[in-house]
Amino acid sequence: MNGAEELHGLFFEDLAVGQTAVIARTITDADIVLFAGISGDTNPVHINEEFAAGTMFSGRIAHGMLTASFISTVIGTRLPGPGCIYLSQSLRFKAPVRVGDTIWARATVTELFPEKRRAALSTTVTVRDKVVLEGEALVMVPLRATRAWPAAASSAAAD
Amino acid sequence: MNGAEELHGLFFEDLAVGQTAVIARTITDADIVLFAGISGDTNPVHINEEFAAGTMFSGRIAHGMLTASFISTVIGTRLPGPGCIYLSQSLRFKAPVRVGDTIWARATVTELFPEKRRAALSTTVTVRDKVVLEGEALVMVPLRATRAWPAAASSAAAD
C-alpha cells in the first residue's frame, strides 16, 4: 500500500491527557468567498459589506463553520491525525472573526477511554488571545497493537 | 441602505415550533478538494484514495465539517436566514458521506425563548434517508418590532 501507513497519525497508545496541538491561519477574503461557494451559505453578513455594516457586527464576518473547520484540521492532521474517526464536536460561537484576523485553532486531550479507544479533546479557536470559538471533540483512535493495515477494519462504528 | 433590509431573513415573531427548512446538494470531488484547500485539512482519508482504501471506510469520504457546513447554510439562508446570530451547534457524525452522495440538510424549530429572542433547532443531514449527521443549533433572532435598520444594534452578544 505504497507508504500509506507512513501517512497515519497517532495511535491510541501514543495519546496522553494534556497533549496539545495547534494550527494557525490568517483569514482572507478568498477563504470566505470560497467557503460561501462550497457551502452555499451566501448569508449577506459574510459576503455583502453594505448589509453587514447594518448588523451588530458592523461589517462582514467569517462563517462560523469556516472557523470551526480549522478545529477539524487540527484533529485530522495533527492530534491525533490521520486514521482517527471523528465522532462528535460541540461548537460555541463567542465572537466574530474578520478578514485579516489570524486564528489559532488548538486541541488538547482531556480524557482517554481505553475500552472504546476514544479520546476527548477540548477545542478552542482564538484571535489575538480572545476565544472566538470553543467546544469539545470526541474521536476514536486505532490501537497500534491491533491495526491491520492495509486491510479494512471489520466493524464500522461510523456506519 | 440600498435594499439591505430586503435581504433580511425571518424575525423572531415569524418563528413557530415545528417550522422546517431544507437544502440539498450533491457532493463532488471539487467540494472536497476545495474544502481541503480552505481548511488545510489534508487528512488523506479525504484526498488520497490509496490511503482511504485501507481504512474502515474503504475509500475517500467527505470532511465531516464540510457536511456540517450545509447545516449552517440552512440556518444562514433559510431558517431563520440572514440577520440571525449563530450561538452554538452540536454535531454527531453518524456515517460517512462520499462523492456522488446527495445530502439533505434540514433544520426544524424545536423551542423558542422569547425573553432572549433565541430559537433552538434540531439539525440533521441525511443521505438516501439515512442520518449521517445530527445535532442541535441555538440562534438569536432579531425582533421585527425592535429592529433598527440600518443602525447597528447597541449590544453585541457575540462579542
Side-chain angles (χ1 to χ4, degrees):
Chain A
M1 188 58 71
N2 293 335
E5 189 167 0
E6 293 177 75
L7 298 178
H8 204 287
L10 298 177
F11 289 97
F12 191 83
E13 296 95 325
D14 303 320
L15 299 179
V17 170
Q19 267 176 307
T20 189
V22 72
I23 62 137
R25 274 282 308 276
T26 304
I27 302 297
T28 69
D29 274 320
D31 294 303
I32 294 175
V33 170
L34 287 171
F35 190 86
I38 296 170
S39 67
D41 187 348
T42 55
N43 186 323
V45 77
H46 307 305
I47 60 170
N48 181 324
E49 188 61 33
E50 294 188 3
F51 177 92
T55 69
M56 61 185 284
F57 300 117
S58 303
R60 280 178 302 142
I61 62 173
H63 301 74
M65 281 293 183
L66 170 59
T67 303
S69 74
F70 300 109
I71 293 176
S72 155
T73 303
V74 179
I75 288 173
T77 68
R78 295 285 182 91
L79 180 67
C84 76
I85 312 292
Y86 213 171
L87 298 175
S88 68
Q89 175 73 53
S90 62
L91 302 167
R92 295 181 294 280
F93 303 105
K94 310 295 283 185
V97 172
R98 300 173 192 280
V99 168
D101 285 350
T102 298
I103 62 92
W104 294 74
R106 179 174 295 280
T108 302
V109 177
T110 55
E111 194 167 0
L112 294 169
F113 307 94
E115 70 288 351
K116 290 191 169 180
R117 295 167 295 134
R118 292 182 178 184
L121 301 100
S122 73
T123 53
T124 59
V125 182
T126 55
V127 172
R128 292 178 295 276
D129 293 330
K130 177 176 181 167
V131 174
V132 295
L133 175 55
E134 62 181 12
E136 293 77 38
L138 189 66
V139 297
M140 191 165 65
V141 189
L143 277 172
R144 175 179 283 109
T146 59
R147 76 191 188 281
W149 202 274
S154 57
S155 69
D159 271 355
Chain B
M1 188 60 72
N2 295 334
E5 188 166 1
E6 293 177 76
L7 298 178
H8 203 287
L10 298 176
F11 289 97
F12 191 83
E13 296 95 325
D14 303 320
L15 299 179
V17 171
Q19 267 177 307
T20 188
V22 72
I23 62 138
R25 274 281 310 276
T26 303
I27 302 297
T28 70
D29 274 321
D31 294 302
I32 294 175
V33 170
L34 288 171
F35 190 86
I38 297 170
S39 67
D41 188 348
T42 55
N43 186 324
V45 77
H46 307 305
I47 61 170
N48 181 326
E49 188 60 33
E50 293 189 4
F51 177 93
T55 68
M56 62 185 283
F57 300 117
S58 303
R60 280 178 303 142
I61 62 172
H63 301 73
M65 281 293 183
L66 170 59
T67 304
S69 74
F70 300 109
I71 293 176
S72 155
T73 303
V74 179
I75 289 173
T77 68
R78 294 286 183 91
L79 180 67
C84 76
I85 312 291
Y86 212 171
L87 298 176
S88 67
Q89 176 73 53
S90 62
L91 302 168
R92 294 182 295 281
F93 303 105
K94 310 295 282 184
V97 172
R98 300 173 191 280
V99 168
D101 284 350
T102 298
I103 62 93
W104 294 75
R106 179 175 295 281
T108 303
V109 178
T110 55
E111 194 167 1
L112 295 170
F113 307 93
E115 69 289 351
K116 290 191 168 181
R117 295 167 296 134
R118 292 181 178 185
L121 301 100
S122 73
T123 54
T124 60
V125 182
T126 55
V127 171
R128 293 179 293 277
D129 293 330
K130 176 176 181 166
V131 174
V132 296
L133 175 56
E134 62 181 12
E136 293 78 37
L138 189 66
V139 296
M140 190 165 65
V141 189
L143 278 172
R144 175 179 282 107
T146 59
R147 75 191 188 281
W149 202 274
S154 58
S155 68
D159 271 356

